[in-house]
Amino acid sequence: MEKTILVTGGLGYIGSHTVLTLINAGYKPIIVDNLCNSQPWILTQLEKLSGQKIKNHAIDCTNFSDLEAVFKNEPIHGVIHFAALKAVNESVHEPLSYYNNNVKSLLNIIELVSKYKVRKLVFSSSCTVYGTADKLPISEDHPIKTAESPYGSTKQMCERIINDCLKAKKIENAVILRYFNPIGAHSSGLIGELPLGIPNNLAPYIMQTAAGIRSSLTIYGNNYNTHDGTCIRDYIHVMDLAEAHVKSIEVMEVSATSHTLNIGTGKGNSVLDVINAFENATGIKLNYTYGERRIGDIEKIYADTNLSEEILKWKSKHSLEEAMRDSWKWQMYLKSK
Ligand code: NAD
Ligand code: UDP
């Protein structure tokens, strides 16, 4: 029988791509998503793409009794916990919402994973837990510095909570994934990132500028100490990221060791590299200007992926161009809707 994986936040950007990847790997995903940052029609898209009925429980992970009903009624084999608020800027202005949503959701998940003896938990963390890198590429043993935002601090707290609960044997096995910068979309162009309002992140801003929704992209700073003066990140295709979650579940099938792993490509690319990749992939010239540095931006960060490649037997496969092509397909699909 197919093993059931509970995917919280499964209608969101990374969650939706992971739901498809789980189905392709022979798992049965069920979703818990309260739609606070996603749309119900994404479920229809997932059903179209997979040819299967998929269940979403439209409940809030901060509500213990609603969440417990799901654990009571479904034979849950593992949990992938994506559900969280993720806008760094917003978290500075609304810290309570971020602590309440992100930390309380995880506390509820852990309590239920413990009570219902679910032996596999995958948690979405972020490279934001590192802050400024002392050494690049950054490896998992890099010191964790004081977080720059309430969002970053919720991820640090959640990692700490998971590690304390593992030590106390409240949970048996967990894999914490520290994502670098997710970009791209499913190659069908039928699902992708769906930013509400003005996007903060680079890739959706590029797509909306090229689609004429925004008049121009502002590159935040061109006087950094990098090959072209613009900041460097590790951009990873969302389908590679999705696969890392399935591999994490598979690793926990055969070993009870818990891990904290970087999920990136291991390569640093500048803002201009991303724009060039977009222009090469689509043949569209992007309208952009240089502006001031954005407060809080780190000059460069990219992952040391040796540990994740070794533990998960996984490696990112997609190029920056492929990610740009797939995001553009998704942007065109949104326009046609
Ligand atoms: P997203 O906002 O697209 O998806 C999150 C989903 O969770 C949304 O569909 C939202 O409706 C749902 N959700 C939020 N709070 C909930 C709650 N209390 N109960 C039920 N559902 C809830 O975000 P994403 O980009 O897919 O990110 C997924 C995870 O990865 C998050 O934990 C995020 O912090 C983490 N992460 C994201 C990035 C990134 O750049 N996208 C980078 C690093 C880490
Ligand atoms: N960026 C930019 N213009 C934008 C959005 C982002 O120049 O409109 C730059 C930003 O300064 C950073 C990179 O793109 O160097 C990635 O930014 P994003 O917000 O996507 O990710 P993060 O900074 O959180 O890693």
Side-chain angles (χ1 to χ4, degrees), residues 6 8 32 61 64 67 71 79-81 103-115 118 121-122 171:
L6 178 69
T8 74
V32 163
C61 293
F64 185 83
L67 198 56
F71 278 77
V79 175
I80 306 182
H81 182 47
V103 179
K104 198 162 171 195
S105 292
L106 177 74
L107 291 175
N108 286 344
I109 287 286
I110 289 185
E111 209 160 313
L112 290 165
V113 159
S114 171
K115 184 165 172 185
V118 178
L121 172 65
V122 183
I171 48 177

mmCIF file with all atom_site columns, all heavy atoms in Angstrom, residues 6 8 32 61 64 67 71 79-81 103-115 118 121-122 171:
data_model
loop_
_atom_site.group_PDB
_atom_site.id
_atom_site.type_symbol
_atom_site.label_atom_id
_atom_site.label_alt_id
_atom_site.label_comp_id
_atom_site.label_asym_id
_atom_site.label_entity_id
_atom_site.label_seq_id
_atom_site.pdbx_PDB_ins_code
_atom_site.Cartn_x
_atom_site.Cartn_y
_atom_site.Cartn_z
_atom_site.occupancy
_atom_site.B_iso_or_equiv
_atom_site.pdbx_formal_charge
_atom_site.auth_seq_id
_atom_site.auth_comp_id
_atom_site.auth_asym_id
_atom_site.auth_atom_id
_atom_site.pdbx_PDB_model_num
ATOM 1   N N   . LEU A 1 6   ? 1.950  13.405 5.162  1.00 0.00 ? 6   LEU A N   1
ATOM 2   C CA  . LEU A 1 6   ? 1.237  14.658 5.416  1.00 0.00 ? 6   LEU A CA  1
ATOM 3   C C   . LEU A 1 6   ? 2.134  15.820 4.989  1.00 0.00 ? 6   LEU A C   1
ATOM 4   O O   . LEU A 1 6   ? 3.269  15.930 5.457  1.00 0.00 ? 6   LEU A O   1
ATOM 5   C CB  . LEU A 1 6   ? 0.905  14.778 6.912  1.00 0.00 ? 6   LEU A CB  1
ATOM 6   C CG  . LEU A 1 6   ? 0.196  16.066 7.316  1.00 0.00 ? 6   LEU A CG  1
ATOM 7   C CD1 . LEU A 1 6   ? -1.215 16.104 6.759  1.00 0.00 ? 6   LEU A CD1 1
ATOM 8   C CD2 . LEU A 1 6   ? 0.172  16.209 8.822  1.00 0.00 ? 6   LEU A CD2 1
ATOM 9   N N   . THR A 1 8   ? 2.218  19.709 5.096  1.00 0.00 ? 8   THR A N   1
ATOM 10  C CA  . THR A 1 8   ? 1.616  20.984 5.518  1.00 0.00 ? 8   THR A CA  1
ATOM 11  C C   . THR A 1 8   ? 2.123  22.063 4.563  1.00 0.00 ? 8   THR A C   1
ATOM 12  O O   . THR A 1 8   ? 3.276  22.013 4.127  1.00 0.00 ? 8   THR A O   1
ATOM 13  C CB  . THR A 1 8   ? 1.974  21.356 6.970  1.00 0.00 ? 8   THR A CB  1
ATOM 14  O OG1 . THR A 1 8   ? 3.341  21.780 6.996  1.00 0.00 ? 8   THR A OG1 1
ATOM 15  C CG2 . THR A 1 8   ? 1.748  20.198 7.940  1.00 0.00 ? 8   THR A CG2 1
ATOM 16  N N   . VAL A 1 32  ? -2.294 19.678 4.304  1.00 0.00 ? 32  VAL A N   1
ATOM 17  C CA  . VAL A 1 32  ? -2.949 20.591 5.234  1.00 0.00 ? 32  VAL A CA  1
ATOM 18  C C   . VAL A 1 32  ? -2.494 21.985 4.841  1.00 0.00 ? 32  VAL A C   1
ATOM 19  O O   . VAL A 1 32  ? -1.299 22.291 4.914  1.00 0.00 ? 32  VAL A O   1
ATOM 20  C CB  . VAL A 1 32  ? -2.559 20.295 6.700  1.00 0.00 ? 32  VAL A CB  1
ATOM 21  C CG1 . VAL A 1 32  ? -2.898 21.476 7.595  1.00 0.00 ? 32  VAL A CG1 1
ATOM 22  C CG2 . VAL A 1 32  ? -3.274 19.051 7.209  1.00 0.00 ? 32  VAL A CG2 1
ATOM 23  N N   . CYS A 1 61  ? -2.514 25.037 11.000 1.00 0.00 ? 61  CYS A N   1
ATOM 24  C CA  . CYS A 1 61  ? -1.638 24.177 11.828 1.00 0.00 ? 61  CYS A CA  1
ATOM 25  C C   . CYS A 1 61  ? -1.504 24.702 13.260 1.00 0.00 ? 61  CYS A C   1
ATOM 26  O O   . CYS A 1 61  ? -1.043 23.968 14.135 1.00 0.00 ? 61  CYS A O   1
ATOM 27  C CB  . CYS A 1 61  ? -0.244 24.086 11.225 1.00 0.00 ? 61  CYS A CB  1
ATOM 28  S SG  . CYS A 1 61  ? -0.180 23.234 9.674  1.00 0.00 ? 61  CYS A SG  1
ATOM 29  N N   . PHE A 1 64  ? -4.584 23.086 17.346 1.00 0.00 ? 64  PHE A N   1
ATOM 30  C CA  . PHE A 1 64  ? -4.185 21.721 17.706 1.00 0.00 ? 64  PHE A CA  1
ATOM 31  C C   . PHE A 1 64  ? -5.286 20.702 17.440 1.00 0.00 ? 64  PHE A C   1
ATOM 32  O O   . PHE A 1 64  ? -5.045 19.637 16.866 1.00 0.00 ? 64  PHE A O   1
ATOM 33  C CB  . PHE A 1 64  ? -3.759 21.673 19.183 1.00 0.00 ? 64  PHE A CB  1
ATOM 34  C CG  . PHE A 1 64  ? -3.221 20.325 19.582 1.00 0.00 ? 64  PHE A CG  1
ATOM 35  C CD1 . PHE A 1 64  ? -1.900 19.993 19.333 1.00 0.00 ? 64  PHE A CD1 1
ATOM 36  C CD2 . PHE A 1 64  ? -4.042 19.382 20.184 1.00 0.00 ? 64  PHE A CD2 1
ATOM 37  C CE1 . PHE A 1 64  ? -1.390 18.736 19.666 1.00 0.00 ? 64  PHE A CE1 1
ATOM 38  C CE2 . PHE A 1 64  ? -3.549 18.121 20.523 1.00 0.00 ? 64  PHE A CE2 1
ATOM 39  C CZ  . PHE A 1 64  ? -2.224 17.804 20.266 1.00 0.00 ? 64  PHE A CZ  1
ATOM 40  N N   . LEU A 1 67  ? -5.842 19.942 13.792 1.00 0.00 ? 67  LEU A N   1
ATOM 41  C CA  . LEU A 1 67  ? -4.711 19.176 13.254 1.00 0.00 ? 67  LEU A CA  1
ATOM 42  C C   . LEU A 1 67  ? -4.735 17.742 13.787 1.00 0.00 ? 67  LEU A C   1
ATOM 43  O O   . LEU A 1 67  ? -4.454 16.789 13.058 1.00 0.00 ? 67  LEU A O   1
ATOM 44  C CB  . LEU A 1 67  ? -3.402 19.885 13.650 1.00 0.00 ? 67  LEU A CB  1
ATOM 45  C CG  . LEU A 1 67  ? -2.140 19.531 12.890 1.00 0.00 ? 67  LEU A CG  1
ATOM 46  C CD1 . LEU A 1 67  ? -2.302 19.740 11.383 1.00 0.00 ? 67  LEU A CD1 1
ATOM 47  C CD2 . LEU A 1 67  ? -0.965 20.391 13.388 1.00 0.00 ? 67  LEU A CD2 1
ATOM 48  N N   . PHE A 1 71  ? -4.500 13.646 12.102 1.00 0.00 ? 71  PHE A N   1
ATOM 49  C CA  . PHE A 1 71  ? -3.633 12.546 12.555 1.00 0.00 ? 71  PHE A CA  1
ATOM 50  C C   . PHE A 1 71  ? -4.470 11.327 12.996 1.00 0.00 ? 71  PHE A C   1
ATOM 51  O O   . PHE A 1 71  ? -4.050 10.194 12.827 1.00 0.00 ? 71  PHE A O   1
ATOM 52  C CB  . PHE A 1 71  ? -2.723 13.008 13.706 1.00 0.00 ? 71  PHE A CB  1
ATOM 53  C CG  . PHE A 1 71  ? -1.496 13.740 13.234 1.00 0.00 ? 71  PHE A CG  1
ATOM 54  C CD1 . PHE A 1 71  ? -1.573 15.063 12.809 1.00 0.00 ? 71  PHE A CD1 1
ATOM 55  C CD2 . PHE A 1 71  ? -0.252 13.111 13.201 1.00 0.00 ? 71  PHE A CD2 1
ATOM 56  C CE1 . PHE A 1 71  ? -0.437 15.740 12.374 1.00 0.00 ? 71  PHE A CE1 1
ATOM 57  C CE2 . PHE A 1 71  ? 0.890  13.781 12.770 1.00 0.00 ? 71  PHE A CE2 1
ATOM 58  C CZ  . PHE A 1 71  ? 0.792  15.099 12.356 1.00 0.00 ? 71  PHE A CZ  1
ATOM 59  N N   . VAL A 1 79  ? 5.805  13.227 7.907  1.00 0.00 ? 79  VAL A N   1
ATOM 60  C CA  . VAL A 1 79  ? 5.300  14.599 7.766  1.00 0.00 ? 79  VAL A CA  1
ATOM 61  C C   . VAL A 1 79  ? 6.377  15.467 7.118  1.00 0.00 ? 79  VAL A C   1
ATOM 62  O O   . VAL A 1 79  ? 7.545  15.408 7.508  1.00 0.00 ? 79  VAL A O   1
ATOM 63  C CB  . VAL A 1 79  ? 4.937  15.205 9.146  1.00 0.00 ? 79  VAL A CB  1
ATOM 64  C CG1 . VAL A 1 79  ? 4.532  16.679 9.013  1.00 0.00 ? 79  VAL A CG1 1
ATOM 65  C CG2 . VAL A 1 79  ? 3.829  14.409 9.818  1.00 0.00 ? 79  VAL A CG2 1
ATOM 66  N N   . ILE A 1 80  ? 5.968  16.234 6.123  1.00 0.00 ? 80  ILE A N   1
ATOM 67  C CA  . ILE A 1 80  ? 6.854  17.290 5.593  1.00 0.00 ? 80  ILE A CA  1
ATOM 68  C C   . ILE A 1 80  ? 6.187  18.610 5.956  1.00 0.00 ? 80  ILE A C   1
ATOM 69  O O   . ILE A 1 80  ? 5.070  18.904 5.505  1.00 0.00 ? 80  ILE A O   1
ATOM 70  C CB  . ILE A 1 80  ? 7.062  17.173 4.069  1.00 0.00 ? 80  ILE A CB  1
ATOM 71  C CG1 . ILE A 1 80  ? 7.558  15.762 3.701  1.00 0.00 ? 80  ILE A CG1 1
ATOM 72  C CG2 . ILE A 1 80  ? 8.052  18.224 3.599  1.00 0.00 ? 80  ILE A CG2 1
ATOM 73  C CD1 . ILE A 1 80  ? 7.841  15.553 2.205  1.00 0.00 ? 80  ILE A CD1 1
ATOM 74  N N   . HIS A 1 81  ? 6.876  19.370 6.785  1.00 0.00 ? 81  HIS A N   1
ATOM 75  C CA  . HIS A 1 81  ? 6.242  20.571 7.357  1.00 0.00 ? 81  HIS A CA  1
ATOM 76  C C   . HIS A 1 81  ? 6.761  21.843 6.668  1.00 0.00 ? 81  HIS A C   1
ATOM 77  O O   . HIS A 1 81  ? 7.786  22.398 7.053  1.00 0.00 ? 81  HIS A O   1
ATOM 78  C CB  . HIS A 1 81  ? 6.513  20.612 8.860  1.00 0.00 ? 81  HIS A CB  1
ATOM 79  C CG  . HIS A 1 81  ? 5.878  21.780 9.542  1.00 0.00 ? 81  HIS A CG  1
ATOM 80  N ND1 . HIS A 1 81  ? 4.566  22.149 9.337  1.00 0.00 ? 81  HIS A ND1 1
ATOM 81  C CD2 . HIS A 1 81  ? 6.378  22.686 10.430 1.00 0.00 ? 81  HIS A CD2 1
ATOM 82  C CE1 . HIS A 1 81  ? 4.285  23.219 10.075 1.00 0.00 ? 81  HIS A CE1 1
ATOM 83  N NE2 . HIS A 1 81  ? 5.373  23.567 10.730 1.00 0.00 ? 81  HIS A NE2 1
ATOM 84  N N   . VAL A 1 103 ? 6.181  29.141 14.886 1.00 0.00 ? 103 VAL A N   1
ATOM 85  C CA  . VAL A 1 103 ? 6.635  28.326 16.023 1.00 0.00 ? 103 VAL A CA  1
ATOM 86  C C   . VAL A 1 103 ? 5.500  27.446 16.540 1.00 0.00 ? 103 VAL A C   1
ATOM 87  O O   . VAL A 1 103 ? 5.679  26.252 16.779 1.00 0.00 ? 103 VAL A O   1
ATOM 88  C CB  . VAL A 1 103 ? 7.233  29.217 17.141 1.00 0.00 ? 103 VAL A CB  1
ATOM 89  C CG1 . VAL A 1 103 ? 7.685  28.362 18.316 1.00 0.00 ? 103 VAL A CG1 1
ATOM 90  C CG2 . VAL A 1 103 ? 8.407  30.031 16.597 1.00 0.00 ? 103 VAL A CG2 1
ATOM 91  N N   . LYS A 1 104 ? 4.302  28.041 16.665 1.00 0.00 ? 104 LYS A N   1
ATOM 92  C CA  . LYS A 1 104 ? 3.185  27.249 17.197 1.00 0.00 ? 104 LYS A CA  1
ATOM 93  C C   . LYS A 1 104 ? 2.821  26.082 16.263 1.00 0.00 ? 104 LYS A C   1
ATOM 94  O O   . LYS A 1 104 ? 2.524  24.977 16.732 1.00 0.00 ? 104 LYS A O   1
ATOM 95  C CB  . LYS A 1 104 ? 1.974  28.165 17.396 1.00 0.00 ? 104 LYS A CB  1
ATOM 96  C CG  . LYS A 1 104 ? 0.941  27.591 18.320 1.00 0.00 ? 104 LYS A CG  1
ATOM 97  C CD  . LYS A 1 104 ? 0.030  28.680 18.798 1.00 0.00 ? 104 LYS A CD  1
ATOM 98  C CE  . LYS A 1 104 ? -1.142 28.111 19.553 1.00 0.00 ? 104 LYS A CE  1
ATOM 99  N NZ  . LYS A 1 104 ? -2.190 29.112 19.707 1.00 0.00 ? 104 LYS A NZ  1
ATOM 100 N N   . SER A 1 105 ? 2.859  26.332 14.953 1.00 0.00 ? 105 SER A N   1
ATOM 101 C CA  . SER A 1 105 ? 2.572  25.242 14.008 1.00 0.00 ? 105 SER A CA  1
ATOM 102 C C   . SER A 1 105 ? 3.539  24.083 14.240 1.00 0.00 ? 105 SER A C   1
ATOM 103 O O   . SER A 1 105 ? 3.136  22.917 14.284 1.00 0.00 ? 105 SER A O   1
ATOM 104 C CB  . SER A 1 105 ? 2.749  25.709 12.558 1.00 0.00 ? 105 SER A CB  1
ATOM 105 O OG  . SER A 1 105 ? 1.775  26.641 12.229 1.00 0.00 ? 105 SER A OG  1
ATOM 106 N N   . LEU A 1 106 ? 4.818  24.405 14.395 1.00 0.00 ? 106 LEU A N   1
ATOM 107 C CA  . LEU A 1 106 ? 5.800  23.327 14.587 1.00 0.00 ? 106 LEU A CA  1
ATOM 108 C C   . LEU A 1 106 ? 5.565  22.612 15.925 1.00 0.00 ? 106 LEU A C   1
ATOM 109 O O   . LEU A 1 106 ? 5.649  21.379 15.995 1.00 0.00 ? 106 LEU A O   1
ATOM 110 C CB  . LEU A 1 106 ? 7.232  23.866 14.530 1.00 0.00 ? 106 LEU A CB  1
ATOM 111 C CG  . LEU A 1 106 ? 8.257  22.758 14.805 1.00 0.00 ? 106 LEU A CG  1
ATOM 112 C CD1 . LEU A 1 106 ? 8.396  21.815 13.602 1.00 0.00 ? 106 LEU A CD1 1
ATOM 113 C CD2 . LEU A 1 106 ? 9.617  23.294 15.199 1.00 0.00 ? 106 LEU A CD2 1
ATOM 114 N N   . LEU A 1 107 ? 5.255  23.370 16.972 1.00 0.00 ? 107 LEU A N   1
ATOM 115 C CA  . LEU A 1 107 ? 5.012  22.731 18.282 1.00 0.00 ? 107 LEU A CA  1
ATOM 116 C C   . LEU A 1 107 ? 3.860  21.734 18.166 1.00 0.00 ? 107 LEU A C   1
ATOM 117 O O   . LEU A 1 107 ? 3.949  20.607 18.671 1.00 0.00 ? 107 LEU A O   1
ATOM 118 C CB  . LEU A 1 107 ? 4.703  23.784 19.354 1.00 0.00 ? 107 LEU A CB  1
ATOM 119 C CG  . LEU A 1 107 ? 5.869  24.690 19.747 1.00 0.00 ? 107 LEU A CG  1
ATOM 120 C CD1 . LEU A 1 107 ? 5.400  25.771 20.731 1.00 0.00 ? 107 LEU A CD1 1
ATOM 121 C CD2 . LEU A 1 107 ? 7.020  23.896 20.358 1.00 0.00 ? 107 LEU A CD2 1
ATOM 122 N N   . ASN A 1 108 ? 2.800  22.146 17.480 1.00 0.00 ? 108 ASN A N   1
ATOM 123 C CA  . ASN A 1 108 ? 1.654  21.235 17.293 1.00 0.00 ? 108 ASN A CA  1
ATOM 124 C C   . ASN A 1 108 ? 2.056  20.004 16.490 1.00 0.00 ? 108 ASN A C   1
ATOM 125 O O   . ASN A 1 108 ? 1.693  18.873 16.841 1.00 0.00 ? 108 ASN A O   1
ATOM 126 C CB  . ASN A 1 108 ? 0.500  21.958 16.591 1.00 0.00 ? 108 ASN A CB  1
ATOM 127 C CG  . ASN A 1 108 ? -0.213 22.929 17.520 1.00 0.00 ? 108 ASN A CG  1
ATOM 128 O OD1 . ASN A 1 108 ? -0.049 22.855 18.746 1.00 0.00 ? 108 ASN A OD1 1
ATOM 129 N ND2 . ASN A 1 108 ? -1.007 23.828 16.961 1.00 0.00 ? 108 ASN A ND2 1
ATOM 130 N N   . ILE A 1 109 ? 2.800  20.230 15.427 1.00 0.00 ? 109 ILE A N   1
ATOM 131 C CA  . ILE A 1 109 ? 3.237  19.095 14.591 1.00 0.00 ? 109 ILE A CA  1
ATOM 132 C C   . ILE A 1 109 ? 4.072  18.124 15.439 1.00 0.00 ? 109 ILE A C   1
ATOM 133 O O   . ILE A 1 109 ? 3.859  16.910 15.415 1.00 0.00 ? 109 ILE A O   1
ATOM 134 C CB  . ILE A 1 109 ? 4.060  19.594 13.364 1.00 0.00 ? 109 ILE A CB  1
ATOM 135 C CG1 . ILE A 1 109 ? 3.147  20.259 12.335 1.00 0.00 ? 109 ILE A CG1 1
ATOM 136 C CG2 . ILE A 1 109 ? 4.884  18.480 12.738 1.00 0.00 ? 109 ILE A CG2 1
ATOM 137 C CD1 . ILE A 1 109 ? 2.265  19.325 11.522 1.00 0.00 ? 109 ILE A CD1 1
ATOM 138 N N   . ILE A 1 110 ? 4.993  18.662 16.214 1.00 0.00 ? 110 ILE A N   1
ATOM 139 C CA  . ILE A 1 110 ? 5.866  17.773 17.003 1.00 0.00 ? 110 ILE A CA  1
ATOM 140 C C   . ILE A 1 110 ? 5.052  17.000 18.037 1.00 0.00 ? 110 ILE A C   1
ATOM 141 O O   . ILE A 1 110 ? 5.238  15.787 18.216 1.00 0.00 ? 110 ILE A O   1
ATOM 142 C CB  . ILE A 1 110 ? 6.978  18.589 17.697 1.00 0.00 ? 110 ILE A CB  1
ATOM 143 C CG1 . ILE A 1 110 ? 7.972  19.065 16.641 1.00 0.00 ? 110 ILE A CG1 1
ATOM 144 C CG2 . ILE A 1 110 ? 7.695  17.748 18.755 1.00 0.00 ? 110 ILE A CG2 1
ATOM 145 C CD1 . ILE A 1 110 ? 9.186  19.768 17.178 1.00 0.00 ? 110 ILE A CD1 1
ATOM 146 N N   . GLU A 1 111 ? 4.122  17.700 18.689 1.00 0.00 ? 111 GLU A N   1
ATOM 147 C CA  . GLU A 1 111 ? 3.317  17.010 19.695 1.00 0.00 ? 111 GLU A CA  1
ATOM 148 C C   . GLU A 1 111 ? 2.535  15.847 19.059 1.00 0.00 ? 111 GLU A C   1
ATOM 149 O O   . GLU A 1 111 ? 2.452  14.752 19.623 1.00 0.00 ? 111 GLU A O   1
ATOM 150 C CB  . GLU A 1 111 ? 2.359  18.002 20.345 1.00 0.00 ? 111 GLU A CB  1
ATOM 151 C CG  . GLU A 1 111 ? 2.053  17.587 21.767 1.00 0.00 ? 111 GLU A CG  1
ATOM 152 C CD  . GLU A 1 111 ? 1.517  18.742 22.594 1.00 0.00 ? 111 GLU A CD  1
ATOM 153 O OE1 . GLU A 1 111 ? 2.095  19.840 22.553 1.00 0.00 ? 111 GLU A OE1 1
ATOM 154 O OE2 . GLU A 1 111 ? 0.512  18.526 23.260 1.00 0.00 ? 111 GLU A OE2 1
ATOM 155 N N   . LEU A 1 112 ? 2.027  16.075 17.851 1.00 0.00 ? 112 LEU A N   1
ATOM 156 C CA  . LEU A 1 112 ? 1.211  15.040 17.200 1.00 0.00 ? 112 LEU A CA  1
ATOM 157 C C   . LEU A 1 112 ? 2.079  13.936 16.593 1.00 0.00 ? 112 LEU A C   1
ATOM 158 O O   . LEU A 1 112 ? 1.719  12.755 16.656 1.00 0.00 ? 112 LEU A O   1
ATOM 159 C CB  . LEU A 1 112 ? 0.310  15.686 16.140 1.00 0.00 ? 112 LEU A CB  1
ATOM 160 C CG  . LEU A 1 112 ? -0.789 16.546 16.786 1.00 0.00 ? 112 LEU A CG  1
ATOM 161 C CD1 . LEU A 1 112 ? -1.439 17.467 15.771 1.00 0.00 ? 112 LEU A CD1 1
ATOM 162 C CD2 . LEU A 1 112 ? -1.844 15.648 17.453 1.00 0.00 ? 112 LEU A CD2 1
ATOM 163 N N   . VAL A 1 113 ? 3.226  14.311 16.068 1.00 0.00 ? 113 VAL A N   1
ATOM 164 C CA  . VAL A 1 113 ? 4.171  13.311 15.548 1.00 0.00 ? 113 VAL A CA  1
ATOM 165 C C   . VAL A 1 113 ? 4.564  12.381 16.694 1.00 0.00 ? 113 VAL A C   1
ATOM 166 O O   . VAL A 1 113 ? 4.645  11.154 16.549 1.00 0.00 ? 113 VAL A O   1
ATOM 167 C CB  . VAL A 1 113 ? 5.405  14.030 14.941 1.00 0.00 ? 113 VAL A CB  1
ATOM 168 C CG1 . VAL A 1 113 ? 6.604  13.125 14.852 1.00 0.00 ? 113 VAL A CG1 1
ATOM 169 C CG2 . VAL A 1 113 ? 5.054  14.585 13.560 1.00 0.00 ? 113 VAL A CG2 1
ATOM 170 N N   . SER A 1 114 ? 4.764  12.972 17.864 1.00 0.00 ? 114 SER A N   1
ATOM 171 C CA  . SER A 1 114 ? 5.144  12.198 19.047 1.00 0.00 ? 114 SER A CA  1
ATOM 172 C C   . SER A 1 114 ? 3.978  11.311 19.509 1.00 0.00 ? 114 SER A C   1
ATOM 173 O O   . SER A 1 114 ? 4.132  10.104 19.688 1.00 0.00 ? 114 SER A O   1
ATOM 174 C CB  . SER A 1 114 ? 5.569  13.192 20.130 1.00 0.00 ? 114 SER A CB  1
ATOM 175 O OG  . SER A 1 114 ? 5.745  12.553 21.336 1.00 0.00 ? 114 SER A OG  1
ATOM 176 N N   . LYS A 1 115 ? 2.795  11.908 19.642 1.00 0.00 ? 115 LYS A N   1
ATOM 177 C CA  . LYS A 1 115 ? 1.624  11.165 20.139 1.00 0.00 ? 115 LYS A CA  1
ATOM 178 C C   . LYS A 1 115 ? 1.216  10.021 19.208 1.00 0.00 ? 115 LYS A C   1
ATOM 179 O O   . LYS A 1 115 ? 0.855  8.939  19.665 1.00 0.00 ? 115 LYS A O   1
ATOM 180 C CB  . LYS A 1 115 ? 0.459  12.156 20.304 1.00 0.00 ? 115 LYS A CB  1
ATOM 181 C CG  . LYS A 1 115 ? -0.794 11.548 20.895 1.00 0.00 ? 115 LYS A CG  1
ATOM 182 C CD  . LYS A 1 115 ? -1.747 12.647 21.355 1.00 0.00 ? 115 LYS A CD  1
ATOM 183 C CE  . LYS A 1 115 ? -3.085 12.056 21.761 1.00 0.00 ? 115 LYS A CE  1
ATOM 184 N NZ  . LYS A 1 115 ? -4.059 13.097 22.105 1.00 0.00 ? 115 LYS A NZ  1
ATOM 185 N N   . VAL A 1 118 ? 4.648  8.968  14.637 1.00 0.00 ? 118 VAL A N   1
ATOM 186 C CA  . VAL A 1 118 ? 5.072  9.133  13.237 1.00 0.00 ? 118 VAL A CA  1
ATOM 187 C C   . VAL A 1 118 ? 6.596  9.243  13.261 1.00 0.00 ? 118 VAL A C   1
ATOM 188 O O   . VAL A 1 118 ? 7.148  10.068 13.996 1.00 0.00 ? 118 VAL A O   1
ATOM 189 C CB  . VAL A 1 118 ? 4.441  10.405 12.620 1.00 0.00 ? 118 VAL A CB  1
ATOM 190 C CG1 . VAL A 1 118 ? 4.923  10.610 11.186 1.00 0.00 ? 118 VAL A CG1 1
ATOM 191 C CG2 . VAL A 1 118 ? 2.918  10.313 12.663 1.00 0.00 ? 118 VAL A CG2 1
ATOM 192 N N   . LEU A 1 121 ? 10.036 13.132 10.093 1.00 0.00 ? 121 LEU A N   1
ATOM 193 C CA  . LEU A 1 121 ? 9.653  14.543 9.994  1.00 0.00 ? 121 LEU A CA  1
ATOM 194 C C   . LEU A 1 121 ? 10.699 15.273 9.154  1.00 0.00 ? 121 LEU A C   1
ATOM 195 O O   . LEU A 1 121 ? 11.897 15.175 9.422  1.00 0.00 ? 121 LEU A O   1
ATOM 196 C CB  . LEU A 1 121 ? 9.585  15.165 11.401 1.00 0.00 ? 121 LEU A CB  1
ATOM 197 C CG  . LEU A 1 121 ? 9.384  16.686 11.467 1.00 0.00 ? 121 LEU A CG  1
ATOM 198 C CD1 . LEU A 1 121 ? 8.023  17.101 10.894 1.00 0.00 ? 121 LEU A CD1 1
ATOM 199 C CD2 . LEU A 1 121 ? 9.508  17.187 12.914 1.00 0.00 ? 121 LEU A CD2 1
ATOM 200 N N   . VAL A 1 122 ? 10.224 15.984 8.143  1.00 0.00 ? 122 VAL A N   1
ATOM 201 C CA  . VAL A 1 122 ? 11.128 16.850 7.368  1.00 0.00 ? 122 VAL A CA  1
ATOM 202 C C   . VAL A 1 122 ? 10.693 18.288 7.630  1.00 0.00 ? 122 VAL A C   1
ATOM 203 O O   . VAL A 1 122 ? 9.497  18.604 7.557  1.00 0.00 ? 122 VAL A O   1
ATOM 204 C CB  . VAL A 1 122 ? 11.049 16.553 5.842  1.00 0.00 ? 122 VAL A CB  1
ATOM 205 C CG1 . VAL A 1 122 ? 12.049 17.411 5.076  1.00 0.00 ? 122 VAL A CG1 1
ATOM 206 C CG2 . VAL A 1 122 ? 11.293 15.075 5.558  1.00 0.00 ? 122 VAL A CG2 1
ATOM 207 N N   . ILE A 1 171 ? 10.667 12.981 19.587 1.00 0.00 ? 171 ILE A N   1
ATOM 208 C CA  . ILE A 1 171 ? 10.498 12.553 18.194 1.00 0.00 ? 171 ILE A CA  1
ATOM 209 C C   . ILE A 1 171 ? 11.674 11.648 17.856 1.00 0.00 ? 171 ILE A C   1
ATOM 210 O O   . ILE A 1 171 ? 12.755 11.765 18.438 1.00 0.00 ? 171 ILE A O   1
ATOM 211 C CB  . ILE A 1 171 ? 10.394 13.734 17.191 1.00 0.00 ? 171 ILE A CB  1
ATOM 212 C CG1 . ILE A 1 171 ? 11.487 14.780 17.406 1.00 0.00 ? 171 ILE A CG1 1
ATOM 213 C CG2 . ILE A 1 171 ? 9.037  14.374 17.238 1.00 0.00 ? 171 ILE A CG2 1
ATOM 214 C CD1 . ILE A 1 171 ? 11.462 15.908 16.394 1.00 0.00 ? 171 ILE A CD1 1
#
